[in-house]
Amino acid sequence: MSNILHVGLNCIEPILDMPTNRSIPNKRWHLAFTAIYSSRALYSLLNQKKKKKSRKLPVPSNPSFVVLNVKPEAFSSIDHTTLTAIVNEKSFNKLLEFGGIEGVADALGTGIKNGIDGSVNNVALRQEAFGSNTYQRPPAKRLFHFVVESFKDLTILILLFCAALSLGFGIKENGAKEGWYDGGSIFVAVLLVISVSAVSNFRQNRQFEKLSKVSNNIKVDVVRNGHRQQISIFEVVVGDVCLKIGDQVPADGLFLDGHSLQVDESSMTGESDHVEINSHHNPFLFSGTKVADGYAQMLVTSVGMNTTWGEMMSTISRDTNEQTPLQARLNKLTSSIGKAGLAVAFLVLVVLLVRYFTGNTEDENGNQEFNGSNTKADDIVNSVVRIIAAAVTIVVLAIPEGLPLAVTLTLAYSMKRMMADQAMVRKLSACETMGSATTICTDKTVTLTLNQMKVTKFWLGQDPIEDSSLISTDLLNLIQQGVALNTTGSVYRATSGSNYEFSGSPTEKAILSWAVLELDMEMEILIKDFTILHVEAFNSEKKRSGVSIRSEADHNTVHMHWKGAAEMILAMCSSYYDASGRMKDIDDGERMTFEQFKEEHEIRETSQKLEEDSLTLIGLVGIKDPCRPGVRRAVEDCQYAGVNVKIITGDNVFTARAIATECGILRPHQDTNNEAVVEGEVFWNYTPEERMEKVDKIRVMARSSPFDKLLMVQCLKQKGHVVAVTGDGTNDAPALKEADIGLSMEYKAQKWLRILKWGRCVYDNIQKFIQFQLTVNVAALVINFVAAISAGEVPLTAVQLLWVNLIMDTLGALALATEQPTKELMERPPVGRTEPLITNIMWRNLLVQALYQIAVLLTLQFKGESIFGVNEKVKDTLIFNTFVFCQVFNEFNARKLEKKNVFKGIHKNKLFLGIIGITIILQVVMVEFLKKFADTERLNWGQWGACLGIAAISWPLGWVVKCISVSKKPFLSYLRWQEHHFLLYVCTKI
């Protein structure tokens, strides 16, 4: 067998063309891969021969060969169970059994510097051996689940019970052919409402499942084939070397290299203290934990379901039914309206039952319905069931189930359109809250600037340097050392003739490209010639990074390099080098000159400990990041819409003021004298009273730390502002968590306006629907209540009320929730945190329309027969038809809460026009063709014209009522004020 395998290897090795210049781990990996490939191919061929022979000859009992069950893993020395145990148990002993981190990397076929082989076959084999970096989530809810949930509604169950009783007694009394209409009609209407609700909720759930997949797709940097590349977090495999871990650790792994790494493991352990990660004491990294400070490279040892985080996430179902703040407020409103409807329904029930059992009601033939013991039990039960069904239907009509549906529809529609505008909504509540934003706190980089930094100037001493040949050799070497070794970036070049690829932050890439292309820096040679002894990583508080190095040629000399913000570095230096390499002392005049520059590097020969004073300044590097085109216009549009824009940046005051002026955030000559520009430390040192007084005036906060940013957000929220914050997720995490809306750094300033517009559109659409629905609720409740009290009957039957409920809740929500944003939205000030959901303008509109409908329909109820010369059945049909068409015409009025021209832009909303058309067609079918189902009578052309004419009056009425000005003081506050004064009066009398 060994001979056969040897031959197989010799045959396949030329085909695979395995390169000979690979590292030892990669050679071992390719040898293992080749062996397994050969074995599997050999097994396949032998198996095929076996099958072919079996057709003609019996299989021999003792085969002449041995079949090897070769596993596809190709990692004979280690398995995923062991890898998982090493990290989960934080076991140094198990780690040492494999020869430490280097041994694990060797077993996984990973080169610590070059990473894994990035070929498709290699990645696929690793996924087969160790799994993919995905989690098994609970299965998505099916449509049947939402149907069952709809049946759990108490009012629906009562209606179904009433429908069953009505159906049973109807069939018993009138036979199956005629007796099923009443009960069957209620059944059909209820099932139609349930179906629409279940389908809507199901579609919402599916949409959020898709959104979840997109929002979790984070990009990470890995090294494959010695080349740094960016891949999806789902594509990370065991053995990958991940570079500069971002705000979330993508998988379980081991610390390879890095500095000052601190991780927040509270999601795993519940402990809030940050854990320090290093190669000597704690090299274990867990998926799902957050990076609090520093940076690192890690070796991935477990992915997906083999991680602790994966096991935890597999048991957690994503809450796709999360309630937004607006939905919570609407639930309170729904509850209040439902209680009012329940009270009205109870009164109607009591009145109708009393009138029935006292003999004050008559049947269709004019006979008394209840006549004591002479009335059949079946007739009594049938009448009581009809009365209960009518009362319960009033409750169904009163409870505005359409409000949550309207929020769902408008948010889903808005999110879909925002995603088309390349604005990803990761949290549902942000979609609506952004419309109320009053302040945007933004960083300078990415959002306002292009983030394409470039070195534009370089100074040695006070002399600008245009040609690197003018720099002395020793000084040039020091500069190259400082750039190559005090960096988190990298330089990659595939071949000697190819272009350089620079990786890292924009600042790092700018400095590296300048040093390589203009100073002829050889980064790989410098890294080999020097040993890094100690590193202090850059963070937003220190605003500088340092490194101490020792030359391999001279072990007695240690150099220390610092780089960072201008004022930070200059404060540490007492001397500087000029272009010729001579050292000079820095006097006060020269220090003032240096402070006008933006970036600098300095190096001093010193001891291994990184000292922070009496250093020697080598050079100053000026880096420019130009503003984005269109930023000034976007800022001005935000300000016009009533949204203040503030820059909170770690840059110095001069840079921050210049960018703010260029972007239009600051006006010319607006400086620190009028408190528009402050530094983070100054703001922190204010007293609480001073901060609250000055926070609105501040436009720029320079040299700010994450905690300064957090403090600014807290002060703004205390002042009643709705605050949006841009951030990168790591240093800005406290402020992002505190803010009402967190915006990704990829959201450029030009996108703010789109998000603001869509956010306001969501709020505006919800208000439109509330006005529309409350008009229907008020009119229907008053009409049924008055008719029941006075006449002992309700003009609208259970089926008719359910039909009104359907067109009002579902079709009305769909029509009004999909209105697109208009320019007028950005001409209003933002809605504050304490603004009422139902404004005075809405109260004015809905009360006038509701009173008109009540007056007209009650007139038809009591005088309709004489006015039109018709019987009671036709009169009830006229009331039903007029009521429905009043809602259709009022739906147009609801499109504009304040504007008189309600038809403006209607041609753009084809969905609205389509729903209006469908509603009218269905109403005609209900009246003309479903007489027994809807309990209606056919109407002639004159009667149809009368219904349409009465309903159409709501258009001129809506135009007239919008001429009436209203107070800005909330309407309900007057009621509270009257209540307060009444109580005060009573107390005074007592």
Side-chain angles (χ1 to χ4, degrees):
M1 184 63 197
S2 61
N3 292 334
I4 296 174
L5 283 177
H6 182 69
V7 173
L9 282 173
N10 291 336
C11 294
I12 292 175
E13 187 170 358
I15 299 174
L16 295 177
D17 193 21
M18 185 174 68
T20 57
N21 59 345
R22 293 187 179 272
S23 62
I24 293 176
N26 279 340
K27 286 181 179 179
R28 292 176 180 173
W29 159 243
H30 273 270
L31 186 62
F33 174 75
T34 306
I36 289 172
Y37 183 90
S38 306
S39 302
R40 295 178 71 183
L42 179 62
Y43 171 74
S44 177
L45 289 171
L46 292 173
N47 198 29
Q48 288 177 5
K49 290 180 179 180
K50 177 181 175 181
K51 288 181 179 179
K52 290 179 180 178
K53 289 181 180 179
S54 64
R55 296 175 184 175
K56 300 178 180 179
L57 301 173
V59 180
S61 57
N62 296 316
S64 58
F65 59 89
V66 178
V67 177
L68 293 179
N69 185 18
V70 182
K71 295 182 179 180
E73 286 90 3
F75 302 98
S76 57
S77 60
I78 198 165
D79 56 37
H80 71 81
T81 305
T82 306
L83 287 171
T84 303
I86 290 174
V87 177
N88 284 355
E89 299 171 10
K90 295 188 176 182
S91 175
F92 266 104
N93 293 332
K94 290 183 178 180
L95 183 60
L96 292 175
E97 288 177 7
F98 286 93
I101 298 173
E102 292 78 7
V104 173
D106 188 30
L108 292 174
T110 299
I112 292 179
K113 297 296 183 183
N114 295 328
I116 65 171
D117 176 14
S119 64
V120 176
N121 289 336
N122 184 9
V123 172
L125 211 58
R126 289 175 182 272
Q127 288 178 337
E128 185 179 355
F130 300 105
S132 61
N133 199 25
T134 54
Y135 308 128
Q136 295 178 1
R137 295 189 178 276
K141 297 175 182 176
R142 299 183 179 275
L143 179 61
F144 180 73
H145 168 82
F146 297 100
V147 173
V148 173
E149 287 296 316
S150 299
F151 273 105
K152 292 181 181 179
D153 190 340
L154 180 60
T155 55
I156 294 293
L157 292 176
I158 295 173
L159 274 176
L160 289 173
F161 176 73
C162 293
L165 288 177
S166 179
L167 183 65
F169 286 110
I171 292 175
K172 182 180 179 181
E173 184 176 352
N174 301 316
K177 188 175 181 179
E178 299 289 337
W180 69 273
Y181 287 123
D182 288 342
S185 300
I186 298 175
F187 263 124
V188 172
V190 170
L191 291 176
L192 185 60
V193 171
I194 288 174
S195 301
V196 172
S197 175
V199 170
S200 298
N201 291 332
F202 174 69
R203 287 176 63 86
Q204 174 199 355
N205 185 270
R206 291 286 297 273
Q207 186 158 6
F208 284 121
E209 286 293 333
K210 291 178 182 178
L211 179 66
S212 171
K213 292 178 182 178
V214 177
S215 62
N216 291 333
N217 188 11
I218 303 168
K219 298 296 182 182
V220 295
D221 287 341
V222 298
V223 175
R224 291 181 177 178
N225 298 327
H227 179 45
R228 182 172 183 164
Q229 54 188 279
Q230 197 174 67
I231 63 172
S232 166
I233 191 173
F234 303 131
E235 297 173 359
V236 172
V237 295
V238 170
D240 261 327
V241 175
C242 292
L243 293 177
K244 196 182 179 185
I245 307 167
D247 60 336
Q248 179 177 328
V249 179
D252 285 1
L254 299 170
F255 179 93
L256 284 178
D257 188 21
H259 306 287
S260 306
L261 182 65
Q262 291 190 336
V263 175
D264 178 6
E265 295 184 353
S266 58
S267 59
M268 307 292 294
T269 63
E271 298 293 333
S272 58
D273 293 337
H274 295 160
V275 178
E276 185 175 352
I277 307 295
N278 53 53
S279 56
H280 302 294
H281 305 291
N282 182 23
F284 308 104
L285 288 159
F286 294 95
S287 174
T289 55
K290 307 292 184 182
V291 176
D293 193 14
Y295 66 93
Q297 300 176 11
M298 67 175 285
L299 172 67
V300 176
T301 57
S302 298
V303 294
M305 294 302 298
N306 293 325
T307 65
T308 306
W309 183 256
E311 294 174 3
M312 189 190 317
M313 291 302 293
S314 66
T315 62
I316 298 174
S317 176
R318 180 177 174 87
D319 184 14
T320 57
N321 296 320
E322 64 166 329
Q323 275 200 349
T324 70
L326 183 57
Q327 283 177 323
R329 293 174 70 182
L330 287 175
N331 283 342
K332 291 182 180 179
L333 179 62
T334 301
S335 177
S336 301
I337 297 173
K339 290 175 183 176
L342 191 63
V344 172
F346 179 75
L347 287 175
V348 169
L349 177 66
V350 171
V351 169
L352 292 181
L353 288 175
V354 169
R355 290 180 66 88
Y356 174 77
F357 285 108
T358 56
N360 291 318
T361 58
E362 298 177 348
D363 59 16
E364 296 177 354
N365 300 319
N367 300 322
Q368 185 177 328
E369 283 189 299
F370 182 77
N371 193 16
S373 58
N374 296 327
T375 307
K376 296 179 181 179
D378 289 352
D379 293 338
I380 294 174
V381 173
N382 222 9
S383 298
V384 170
V385 166
R386 188 180 69 252
I387 292 171
I388 293 174
V392 172
T393 308
I394 291 175
V395 176
V396 174
L397 179 67
I399 297 175
E401 298 97 340
L403 283 178
L405 179 61
V407 176
T408 300
L409 289 172
T410 190
L411 285 175
Y413 178 76
S414 301
M415 288 169 64
K416 186 177 179 180
R417 295 303 298 268
M418 289 171 72
M419 288 176 69
D421 282 344
Q422 299 179 340
M424 169 61 67
V425 181
R426 296 183 185 271
K427 192 171 177 61
L428 182 62
S429 58
C431 192
E432 68 186 38
T433 311
M434 192 62 191
S436 303
T438 58
T439 303
I440 298 176
C441 297
T442 178
D443 202 345
K444 169 185 71 67
T445 309
V446 180
T447 50
L448 300 179
T449 60
L450 290 171
N451 200 26
Q452 297 174 358
M453 297 188 180
K454 183 179 180 181
V455 174
T456 55
K457 290 185 180 181
F458 174 57
W459 292 268
L460 287 176
Q462 299 185 39
D463 302 322
I465 303 299
E466 302 293 340
D467 186 359
S468 60
S469 62
L470 302 176
I471 307 173
S472 65
T473 303
D474 292 339
L475 189 55
L476 183 61
N477 290 336
L478 285 175
I479 296 171
Q480 292 176 345
Q481 293 169 22
V483 173
L485 303 173
N486 188 14
T487 183
T488 58
S490 62
V491 179
Y492 175 78
R493 196 180 191 186
T495 60
S496 59
S498 60
N499 294 328
Y500 289 98
E501 294 182 20
F502 303 97
S503 304
S505 69
T507 304
E508 297 284 7
K509 288 193 290 185
I511 297 174
L512 286 172
S513 62
W514 166 73
V516 169
L517 300 177
E518 297 190 21
L519 303 184
D520 299 323
M521 181 185 76
E522 296 287 346
M523 189 166 179
E524 291 186 5
I525 296 175
L526 288 168
I527 291 174
K528 292 178 181 178
D529 290 346
F530 289 87
T531 301
I532 297 177
L533 303 176
H534 183 68
V535 174
E536 285 200 19
F538 181 92
N539 65 36
S540 55
E541 290 186 25
K542 295 181 291 187
K543 297 182 177 62
R544 64 179 187 268
S545 64
V547 59
S548 59
I549 60 172
R550 182 171 56 204
S551 172
E552 296 294 338
D554 183 6
H555 289 273
N556 296 322
T557 303
V558 175
H559 284 194
M560 183 172 64
H561 299 257
W562 283 97
K563 73 176 178 184
E567 64 273 19
M568 297 295 179
I569 301 302
L570 285 172
M572 300 162 61
C573 296
S574 59
S575 56
Y576 70 93
Y577 284 112
D578 60 14
S580 61
R582 290 175 297 181
M583 186 184 298
K584 298 182 178 180
D585 293 333
I586 300 178
D587 57 31
D588 293 338
E590 290 168 335
R591 189 176 297 276
M592 290 292 293
T593 302
F594 293 147
E595 286 178 353
Q596 297 175 7
F597 305 137
K598 295 183 178 179
E599 290 287 334
E600 61 293 292
H601 294 251
E602 45 29 78
I603 299 95
R604 174 180 168 82
E605 297 183 7
T606 182
S607 61
Q608 181 174 343
K609 181 182 176 181
L610 298 188
E611 295 186 1
E612 299 182 0
D613 55 7
S614 301
L615 302 177
T616 303
L617 177 72
I618 288 185
L620 304 172
V621 181
I623 302 177
K624 186 176 182 180
D625 187 11
C627 284
R628 290 184 174 277
V631 164
R632 187 179 186 90
R633 176 65 183 273
V635 170
E636 289 174 350
D637 288 342
C638 287
Q639 292 171 342
Y640 180 73
V643 180
N644 294 318
V645 181
K646 302 178 187 291
I647 291 183
I648 304 178
T649 179
D651 288 310
N652 60 55
V653 172
F654 305 104
T655 302
R657 183 187 289 113
I659 294 294
T661 303
E662 188 176 351
C663 295
I665 296 173
L666 274 182
R667 298 288 179 266
H669 313 298
Q670 197 174 7
D671 53 27
T672 52
N673 294 332
N674 60 17
E675 302 170 338
V677 181
V678 297
E679 289 191 342
E681 185 177 356
V682 175
F683 183 74
W684 183 270
N685 291 329
Y686 284 152
T687 63
E689 293 78 15
E690 288 177 325
R691 278 196 293 266
M692 296 300 290
E693 178 186 350
K694 298 178 180 181
V695 68
D696 284 331
K697 302 175 184 177
I698 296 173
R699 293 289 176 269
V700 177
M701 186 160 71
R703 286 297 178 225
S704 62
S705 69
F707 297 103
D708 298 331
K709 198 170 189 176
L710 172 63
L711 186 60
M712 169 71 82
V713 173
Q714 290 172 338
C715 291
L716 288 169
K717 289 183 69 175
Q718 289 174 21
K719 293 272 288 188
H721 290 279
V722 178
V723 186
V725 171
T726 65
D728 58 11
T730 304
N731 292 328
D732 297 319
L736 286 168
K737 186 176 181 181
E738 181 69 23
D740 297 285
I741 311 111
L743 297 175
S744 168
M745 292 293 281
E746 65 190 17
Y747 283 174
K748 319 301 186 287
Q750 291 88 333
K751 285 187 180 180
W752 294 345
L753 211 60
R754 300 180 200 168
I755 302 171
L756 281 171
K757 190 181 291 184
W758 275 108
R760 292 189 180 187
C761 181
V762 168
Y763 198 87
D764 194 57
N765 287 347
I766 298 301
Q767 286 188 316
K768 292 174 184 177
F769 181 72
I770 290 173
Q771 176 184 299
F772 170 71
Q773 188 165 47
L774 288 184
T775 304
V776 185
N777 285 346
V778 171
L781 289 177
V782 172
I783 291 165
N784 280 286
F785 178 71
V786 172
I789 296 295
S790 59
E793 62 180 4
V794 290
L796 301 174
T797 65
V799 173
Q800 291 171 356
L801 286 174
L802 285 170
W803 165 241
V804 173
N805 185 67
L806 178 66
I807 65 170
M808 177 184 68
D809 278 2
T810 307
L811 298 180
L814 192 61
L816 293 172
T818 54
E819 287 282 343
Q820 296 192 22
T822 60
K823 293 181 180 179
E824 289 82 4
L825 290 173
M826 303 309 292
E827 295 174 359
R828 305 185 213 155
V831 179
R833 193 183 297 274
T834 58
E835 289 289 326
L837 191 58
I838 307 176
T839 64
N840 287 356
I841 292 171
M842 294 168 62
W843 280 117
R844 176 198 66 190
N845 296 341
L846 75 89
L847 287 177
V848 169
Q849 292 289 344
L851 288 173
Y852 169 71
Q853 293 179 21
I854 291 168
V856 168
L857 296 177
L858 287 180
T859 301
L860 291 176
Q861 171 68 18
F862 296 110
K863 299 293 182 179
E865 293 181 31
S866 59
I867 293 173
F868 290 96
V870 294
N871 59 29
E872 185 179 2
K873 196 84 172 194
V874 176
K875 178 206 69 176
D876 289 343
T877 303
L878 285 170
I879 292 174
F880 169 59
N881 204 36
T882 303
F883 184 63
V884 169
F885 276 103
C886 279
Q887 313 321 317
V888 171
F889 281 88
N890 193 39
E891 214 161 343
F892 286 87
N893 289 327
R895 289 189 68 246
K896 305 289 181 183
L897 298 178
E898 298 181 60
K899 300 293 182 180
K900 296 176 183 177
N901 184 7
V902 297
F903 304 104
K904 184 178 180 180
I906 197 170
H907 62 283
K908 296 179 181 178
N909 194 344
K910 293 181 175 58
L911 183 60
F912 179 89
L913 295 175
I915 289 173
I916 293 295
I918 291 171
T919 304
I920 293 173
I921 292 171
L922 291 177
Q923 179 63 17
V924 172
V925 172
M926 286 280 287
V927 173
E928 297 293 326
F929 302 103
L930 299 177
K931 296 191 297 179
K932 292 185 178 180
F933 173 78
D935 197 18
T936 57
E937 289 290 330
R938 285 189 173 182
L939 303 178
N940 58 38
W941 287 105
Q943 292 163 348
W944 273 102
C947 294
L948 291 172
I950 292 171
I953 294 175
S954 63
W955 280 353
L957 183 64
W959 189 90
V960 171
V961 78
K962 288 174 182 176
C963 297
I964 303 172
S965 60
V966 293
S967 171
K968 292 185 178 180
K969 187 176 181 180
F971 173 73
L972 294 179
S973 66
Y974 289 102
L975 299 179
R976 288 192 292 268
W977 181 84
Q978 293 290 345
E979 180 184 358
H980 169 73
H981 279 261
F982 174 74
L983 292 174
L984 184 62
Y985 174 76
V986 172
C987 293
T988 305
K989 283 291 185 182
I990 294 173

